[in-house]
Amino acid sequence: VHWQRREFAEAAAKFQHQLSIVDALAVIEPDNAERLSHSGYAWTNYGRVLELDGQYEEALKAYESVMNIFQRLERLRPDDQDSLLEVGFAHNNLGKLKMSFGLLAQAEHHFHEDVAIKQRVLEVHPNHNLWRNYLAASHFWLGRLLNSRGALAESSEQGEAALNILNALIDSDPEMTPWRSRRAQVQNLLAANCRLQQKAECAASHISTALADLDQLTSANPENAQWQLDLSTCRLEAAWQAAIAGQTAFAMALTESVMESTRPTEVGELDDKEAIKLFITAMLTRGDIATKTNQPGVAREAWQTALKTLENYFPVSHDPEVIDISAKLLTRLGRIKMAEDAENMLARIDFHSPYPQIQ
């Protein structure tokens, strides 16, 4: 109940109490696979609410505990593919969290491990559609990490691997909407890679397919917050492509639609931080398009609003995406020394910005 109400601190306290019980039982019977399994799932839930509550270092410890528990369970039940899958999920959670910390090399290791585990599981059950979907998700996250490190060709290889799996899954069951939403995320990643490699036709093809999927999904279910966020993400990629192509009016219209759907006062049940990051990036984009169309007042107002929002919601952040947007806003507003400090921090972790050159 607390989790559904977004009362994450209260939810964490409840899970902590649950953990004290299941861990005590696991100590009494350390080789009891069922008790170990309960402990692993409890630690997974605990890690998730800690992450949502912004307690990232504690969440890291929780996910490491999850991985250790399910590795023990795998040794007890070597033929149990579910235990092996949970090790993969733990690697994926650790990869995503470390990516948000700027620990990109460590995150890449976890994502590679996750992909390898999902591939091992599918060697045993190659036609298990749910597990194939899990592998597609693992390829996507590895691809996204590689994109942030500037390894665009390798990122696209992972994206294409995910896309091939998802296309086959959708062909087998077109009504499975989660597969279509994942495919849109993958298409957006591939569009970004193409854009960054200056392959305009490739970028446009991928983003148009992603938008078509998400338009259909959100029309059928407008209350799905994650799909609405994915749609806004793809619209911003489309806006960047339009701005690069000189279609400034269309780019501005797309950007403003993203701003309206992700404004902090309207976020609701979304993963707030991701929506707010998107809003800030859209405001930066609005300012850059306004500069390109000789509207300096509009540009400065947009950048100031973006920076104020960033400082309100991310007063201290290790997230390279946040640092990257901060550096760009500081540069545009003339705060050069602070911008240079942020750029140097990104250079040290080998982060490559996906943001386009619009101005």
Side-chain angles (χ1 to χ4, degrees):
V1 174
H2 288 301
W3 192 337
Q4 292 172 345
R5 293 175 180 170
R6 303 186 67 79
E7 297 167 352
F8 299 127
E10 293 83 354
K14 292 287 186 182
F15 282 127
Q16 197 168 30
H17 175 68
Q18 180 188 8
L19 280 169
S20 66
I21 298 171
V22 296
D23 283 354
L25 292 172
V27 168
I28 294 170
E29 297 182 89
D31 294 332
N32 186 310
E34 186 176 354
R35 294 204 188 283
L36 271 178
S37 179
H38 289 324
S39 180
Y41 289 124
W43 275 102
T44 298
N45 289 331
Y46 184 50
R48 182 60 179 147
V49 295
L50 287 171
E51 184 179 354
L52 290 168
D53 195 41
Q55 300 183 54
Y56 299 120
E57 293 184 4
E58 293 304 312
L60 275 177
K61 294 176 185 176
Y63 289 143
E64 286 167 353
S65 294
V66 172
M67 187 159 59
N68 291 335
I69 290 166
F70 280 108
Q71 284 174 335
R72 285 175 57 199
L73 194 56
E74 184 197 356
R75 289 192 291 271
L76 286 172
R77 300 190 301 199
D79 296 328
D80 180 12
Q81 301 303 311
D82 288 329
S83 297
L84 184 56
L85 272 175
E86 291 298 335
V87 177
F89 292 142
H91 275 297
N92 188 268
N93 284 330
L94 284 165
K96 287 187 281 191
L97 200 50
K98 288 185 178 182
M99 187 163 66
S100 72
F101 266 80
L103 302 171
L104 302 185
Q106 292 182 36
E108 183 175 344
H109 163 75
H110 286 298
F111 288 139
H112 275 294
E113 289 293 314
D114 180 35
V115 167
I117 285 170
K118 304 291 173 52
Q119 289 172 332
R120 279 175 57 194
V121 167
L122 279 167
E123 287 175 1
V124 180
H125 298 286
N127 297 317
H128 196 303
N129 283 351
L130 183 59
W131 293 357
R132 291 166 70 196
N133 177 54
Y134 292 156
L135 176 58
S138 301
H139 280 302
F140 165 73
W141 278 104
L142 178 54
R144 186 168 164 181
L145 183 281
L146 291 166
N147 169 281
S148 72
R149 304 197 77 185
L152 302 180
E154 293 86 345
S155 174
S156 291
E157 286 178 8
Q158 295 298 321
E160 292 291 350
L163 189 59
N164 289 337
I165 294 169
L166 291 165
N167 283 338
L169 288 172
I170 291 166
D171 286 344
S172 69
D173 188 353
E175 301 304 314
M176 276 295 288
T177 53
W179 297 343
R180 297 178 72 88
S181 63
R182 175 67 71 192
R183 182 172 70 175
Q185 293 176 339
V186 172
Q187 293 278 16
N188 185 68
L189 171 65
L190 291 168
N193 287 341
C194 289
R195 169 177 53 78
L196 291 165
Q197 293 173 303
Q198 300 182 346
K199 299 176 180 178
E201 289 186 10
C202 165
S205 174
H206 283 300
I207 204 61
S208 64
T209 304
L211 287 168
D213 269 339
L214 288 167
D215 281 335
Q216 184 178 4
L217 290 172
T218 53
S219 294
N221 186 357
E223 300 304 315
N224 189 304
Q226 184 59 53
W227 292 352
Q228 292 288 350
L229 183 61
D230 290 340
L231 178 60
S232 293
T233 302
C234 290
R235 282 179 175 167
L236 189 58
E237 173 61 37
W240 289 348
Q241 292 181 28
I244 292 167
Q247 301 167 356
T248 52
F250 181 49
M252 185 65 88
L254 284 169
T255 300
E256 289 176 349
S257 75
V258 174
M259 290 160 45
E260 286 305 310
S261 64
T262 57
R263 228 174 260 283
T265 54
E266 300 175 6
V267 168
E269 64 182 75
L270 288 176
D271 186 287
D272 293 1
K273 296 286 177 144
E274 289 304 309
I276 293 166
K277 278 199 297 187
L278 195 57
F279 172 77
I280 293 166
T281 309
M283 290 295 293
L284 167 63
T285 304
R286 173 180 168 81
D288 286 356
I289 295 171
T291 298
K292 191 170 185 174
T293 54
N294 298 313
Q295 302 177 73
V298 173
R300 188 164 187 83
E301 181 183 2
W303 295 333
Q304 287 174 333
T305 301
L307 186 59
K308 182 179 179 181
T309 306
L310 186 148
E311 290 172 343
N312 284 342
Y313 286 93
F314 303 96
V316 177
S317 179
H318 300 286
D319 186 338
E321 293 179 355
V322 173
I323 297 169
D324 178 46
I325 296 303
S326 174
K328 288 172 171 52
L329 289 167
L330 291 167
T331 298
R332 285 151 178 73
L333 292 169
R335 293 158 66 173
I336 303 303
K337 179 61 172 67
M338 293 179 68
E340 288 176 346
D341 289 343
E343 292 286 0
N344 289 336
M345 188 181 303
L346 294 171
R348 284 196 295 273
I349 63 171
D350 194 29
F351 176 81
H352 292 248
S353 175
Y355 192 80
Q357 184 65 37
I358 294 174
Q359 294 174 295

